[in-house]
Amino acid sequence: MPSLTGPRPVDWKAAAPPIPNFAPQHDSLPRLPVPNLTATLERLKTSLFPLAHSEAEFADAAKKIDAFGSHAGSGNLLQSRLLQRANEREHWLEEWWDNLGYLGYRDSVVVNVSYYYGFDGQPGHLPQSPAARAAGLARGALVFRQKLLSGQVSPDGTKEGQFCMDTYRWMFNCCRVPGLHGLDWSISHAGFKEDLGHIIIVRRNRFWKLKGIIDGRILSMTELEKQIQHIYDSTTEEYPGVGVLTASNRDVWAKDHAHLAANLHNTSILHTIHSSAFLISLDTDTPSSPIDHSRSLWHGSLSPSTSDAPGLKNRWVDKPVEFVVFDNARAGLLGEHSVMDGTPTARMCDEVLDWLADPAFDLGTPSTIPPPEPEPLDFVIDDTTRTAIDKASKAAYELADSQSMSYHLTSYGKAAIKTFRVSPDSWAQMIIQLAYARLLRAHGLNREGGTYEAATTRRYWKGRTETIRVVTSQSDAFISAMDDPQVSCEDRKQLLDAAAKAHIALAKVAGTGEGVDRHMLGLKLCLKEGEPVPELYNDPLYKRSGNWVLSTSAIFSDHFPVYGWGEVVPEGFGVAYMTGYDDRLQYTVTSRKEMPNQEFMDEIARAAVDLYDLHAGQPKPML
């Protein structure tokens, strides 16, 4: 049994066995390259120019870039060390990114790290109860897991080739574990010879073990529904909210976790949770609006009268796949982000929801032998843990209550944008840029950070993401022109085209691993103890360029009417958007309450109309 309290195993990532049909990718996919130093520094310099507050500030930063890259500078020495590291490892960035990007992050994963997908409604041909909703998701996810483990899931990719599927091994039967020494890790049970056909169901804070696979057979939807309904019927009172401990600051959770695990009975329950295929939270919420649906998934229900976070007591946010089903049968997923990005779970959810929408999908045939009833898993709770639960719930309430959210659907989508011969993603990004510029202008503020857009680097073995630095001189020229009455519509369109082309070029470069941010991080991490940090890294313009006041990303599923995540800096916004619908663009904006969240979304709505009108030649009503 893997250790629950550490120390963290050196080879913890080897615990999750490879998926059989993806194992050959180890040899067939190229390794993430170390970009050319001169090229990276030129890209950096270009990206800094529009973010500079003055010519002098840019000139000063440019001088530091040139010094860093000169023969006498430290850049070449650090580059040689990075190249040596790349020659000695399968992936020069993986360990650094795991630790610095996620596992060493000590604030709560709720709001700050985890993402959510809200699902469309239960298909009409299926029973409409919450138990049936949960049963359908359980059956579908277990079928996907079975296909994945038996090599029947095809690799993701584009026409240019396959994407790395390595992180799919962290989807099922695993869990993040809080580390006592400042670094978490993930435990996988997929390589152990034990019965792993169980899932965890949580209702009113009580955990249940449900055997979803018996003697190799996935239970039918009817059997699963009866099992889950038994849990609903048997759980009529609230249990101690142990799950909220997982939403704490990671160092706090590590101490609470160690105390919990000191009891052998509790250790057995933790082992059962960690090894479960996935978890389903049966929440008592009944969200209706898109924002209610989003917030109930993102951080669960809140109780302002008691400054309490009851929704998070019914979760275990360290699980990479946690379905949430509400009492009105609405549903979604909350994803833990550390060792697997959102695209694998998006694909899994999309396929499961496609299957359930198809009346021909095999819902299974009940066995003549009834399956065993679900087993309740009741933690031993002492005064120390009760106090920890109370503190964790108060802290979770304060965190979730600090957040603001807005949501908008435009009255047109990719079908119209394509007729204008503009990339839908670039179009959506220029809407964000124009809206943010207008927001800053309205408040008399300078731009104090850059815009992050995630690009996948999964064309490489163990590739994850690179940054698209969205702010460019071309995007700024377009933004300026949109509110300059002296600029003609035709000139504005040409400037948008130029901005879109620049954005597409940056996206392509980032996707090949030739971005700025991961390379600059790698160079800095090659410094040895006692060596001075190069002047460039402390330059105010350079630091501003990596202050992600706009953290943006897009995924698509026509089953996700809502999805999102939190902002990454206190003065910033998280902007989740979708461009895949023919008839609408979808935007969700998150921020701290003190930020003008709704005002920013109003500007996004206005900018979306302005871009349409610019191309359509006549006003289109804003719906």
Side-chain angles (χ1 to χ4, degrees):
M1 184 186 298
S3 169
L4 296 183
T5 56
R8 184 171 91 161
V10 174
D11 62 345
W12 65 269
K13 280 201 106 171
I19 308 300
N21 61 316
F22 302 147
Q25 289 188 332
H26 175 274
D27 298 318
S28 63
L29 290 178
R31 295 323 191 233
L32 182 74
V34 174
N36 176 274
L37 178 62
T38 302
T40 292
L41 295 180
E42 280 303 311
R43 282 192 286 268
L44 172 61
K45 198 181 291 185
T46 300
S47 75
L48 294 186
F49 183 77
L51 293 168
H53 290 168
S54 68
E55 290 183 10
E57 186 181 51
F58 175 73
D60 191 43
K63 189 190 302 181
K64 292 170 187 171
I65 292 171
D66 292 340
F68 180 75
S70 70
H71 290 299
S74 55
N76 285 292
L77 174 61
L78 298 176
Q79 177 78 352
S80 66
R81 292 175 183 171
L82 189 56
L83 288 168
Q84 181 180 352
R85 178 183 174 89
N87 286 331
E88 295 169 350
R89 294 170 177 256
E90 286 191 339
H91 194 289
W92 62 264
L93 182 60
E94 181 185 19
E95 183 181 358
W96 285 339
W97 192 248
D98 284 344
N99 291 340
L100 294 175
Y102 295 103
L103 299 174
Y105 182 81
R106 305 324 284 163
D107 286 340
S108 171
V109 297
V110 174
V111 170
N112 298 302
V113 180
S114 299
Y115 60 91
Y116 67 88
Y117 300 141
F119 300 159
D120 53 6
Q122 176 85 323
H125 65 278
L126 297 176
Q128 297 298 302
S129 71
R133 180 66 153 153
L137 293 172
R139 166 90 184 166
L142 287 170
V143 169
F144 186 92
R145 174 184 174 274
Q146 184 182 68
K147 288 178 177 291
L148 179 68
L149 298 181
S150 61
Q152 297 178 62
V153 171
S154 61
D156 301 329
T158 66
K159 61 184 178 182
E160 296 174 356
Q162 292 186 5
F163 281 170
C164 180
M165 301 292 282
D166 179 65
T167 60
Y168 275 72
R169 62 196 174 102
W170 293 101
M171 187 176 290
F172 300 111
N173 304 108
C174 57
C175 194
R176 180 169 173 164
V177 176
L180 283 166
H181 305 290
L183 280 177
D184 294 355
W185 70 98
S186 283
I187 287 176
S188 173
H189 291 256
F192 289 83
K193 293 182 178 179
E194 55 181 310
D195 177 15
L196 292 179
H198 70 280
I199 60 179
I200 295 293
I201 308 289
V202 197
R203 176 66 174 176
R204 296 190 183 277
N205 315 333
R206 192 184 199 189
F207 291 75
W208 296 75
K209 177 182 178 181
L210 188 160
K211 289 189 175 181
I213 302 175
I214 297 176
D215 296 330
R217 181 184 71 89
I218 297 174
L219 297 191
S220 69
M221 182 174 166
T222 299
E223 290 169 311
L224 288 165
E225 183 181 358
K226 287 180 180 177
Q227 299 274 66
I228 294 168
Q229 189 60 54
H230 172 79
I231 292 172
Y232 276 106
D233 295 341
S234 304
T235 318
T236 57
E237 61 186 58
E238 300 293 318
Y239 282 71
V242 177
V244 76
L245 298 176
T246 66
S248 292
N249 168 283
R250 302 305 294 179
D251 291 330
V252 173
W253 168 218
K255 292 174 184 175
D256 294 339
H257 178 263
H259 179 79
L260 200 65
N263 178 285
L264 290 179
H265 175 76
N266 290 342
T267 297
S268 176
I269 293 175
L270 290 169
H271 173 82
T272 303
I273 292 171
H274 295 164
S275 62
S276 64
F278 49 85
L279 185 146
I280 302 178
S281 169
L282 305 176
D283 277 17
T284 57
D285 255 12
T286 55
S288 54
S289 71
I291 288 180
D292 288 345
H293 193 185
S294 294
R295 297 199 69 142
S296 290
L297 289 166
W298 191 32
H299 54 62
S301 61
L302 302 176
S303 174
S305 62
T306 57
S307 299
D308 193 31
L312 285 167
K313 292 179 178 179
N314 203 56
R315 308 280 177 90
W316 197 269
V317 298
D318 284 350
K319 288 293 283 185
V321 174
E322 178 170 13
F323 294 106
V324 183
V325 176
F326 301 105
D327 274 359
N328 59 358
R330 289 213 171 201
L333 174 135
L334 184 67
E336 200 287 306
H337 205 331
S338 58
V339 290
M340 181 176 59
D341 295 320
T343 46
T345 48
R347 175 179 175 181
M348 182 271 291
C349 291
D350 201 47
E351 292 199 10
V352 167
L353 295 168
D354 275 347
W355 293 337
L356 293 173
D358 182 359
F361 175 60
D362 181 10
L363 298 175
T365 303
S367 170
T368 55
I369 303 173
E373 287 187 347
E375 174 190 350
L377 306 173
D378 294 331
F379 287 96
V380 174
I381 306 294
D382 61 13
D383 288 343
T384 299
T385 297
R386 283 194 189 89
T387 300
I389 289 170
D390 289 342
K391 287 182 178 178
S393 191
K394 301 290 184 191
Y397 174 83
E398 185 177 334
L399 172 63
D401 188 56
S402 73
Q403 296 297 301
S404 185
M405 177 183 286
S406 55
Y407 176 85
H408 179 69
L409 300 176
T410 66
S411 58
Y412 64 91
K414 73 173 183 185
I417 297 168
K418 286 186 172 182
T419 67
F420 304 142
R421 300 175 183 267
V422 180
S423 153
D425 187 65
S426 296
W427 180 284
Q429 282 286 350
M430 291 310 116
I431 287 173
I432 296 167
Q433 292 300 307
L434 177 57
Y436 189 60
R438 287 171 168 172
L439 180 72
L440 292 178
R441 191 185 314 142
H443 288 264
L445 298 173
N446 286 323
R447 182 168 50 196
E448 295 296 346
T451 299
Y452 174 100
E453 181 184 0
T456 184
T457 54
R458 286 175 59 203
R459 68 177 63 195
Y460 299 109
W461 172 244
K462 289 181 176 286
R464 290 190 65 174
T465 61
E466 176 58 273
T467 305
I468 304 169
R469 292 187 158 216
V470 176
V471 176
T472 62
S473 296
Q474 292 90 338
S475 65
D476 274 6
F478 161 69
I479 289 163
S480 177
M482 282 299 291
D483 291 325
D484 184 349
Q486 303 301 315
V487 180
S488 69
C489 288
E490 197 55 43
D491 287 345
R492 290 174 182 172
K493 283 196 276 188
Q494 289 180 7
L495 289 168
L496 174 61
D497 288 344
K501 286 176 183 175
H503 176 254
I504 291 169
L506 286 173
K508 286 182 178 177
V509 167
T512 62
E514 300 281 339
V516 168
D517 294 273
R518 306 295 185 265
H519 189 193
M520 292 300 295
L521 173 66
L523 294 170
K524 187 178 183 182
L525 293 173
C526 284
L527 286 167
K528 295 181 179 178
E529 189 175 353
E531 290 182 336
V533 176
E535 212 180 349
L536 170 60
Y537 286 97
N538 292 315
D539 178 79
L541 177 54
Y542 174 80
K543 292 170 77 172
R544 182 186 309 138
S545 74
N547 183 47
W548 305 120
V549 292
L550 296 178
S551 174
T552 75
S553 191
I555 56 101
F556 180 68
S557 166
D558 56 10
H559 294 294
F560 298 172
V562 297
Y563 93 103
W565 63 88
E567 72 285 351
V568 298
V569 296
E571 72 277 22
F573 298 94
V575 186
Y577 63 97
M578 282 192 188
T579 62
Y581 294 112
D582 281 337
D583 62 344
R584 63 195 183 278
L585 302 176
Q586 178 177 312
Y587 286 95
T588 302
V589 172
T590 56
S591 70
R592 293 184 62 86
K593 273 185 175 177
E594 58 265 27
M595 297 298 291
N597 187 292
Q598 187 58 54
E599 186 180 351
F600 182 34
M601 186 61 90
D602 291 343
E603 290 292 2
I604 286 175
R606 181 161 75 101
V609 171
D610 287 351
L611 261 68
Y612 184 93
D613 289 349
L614 177 66
H615 288 77
Q618 59 183 10
K620 184 177 179 67
M622 183 168 61
L623 301 179

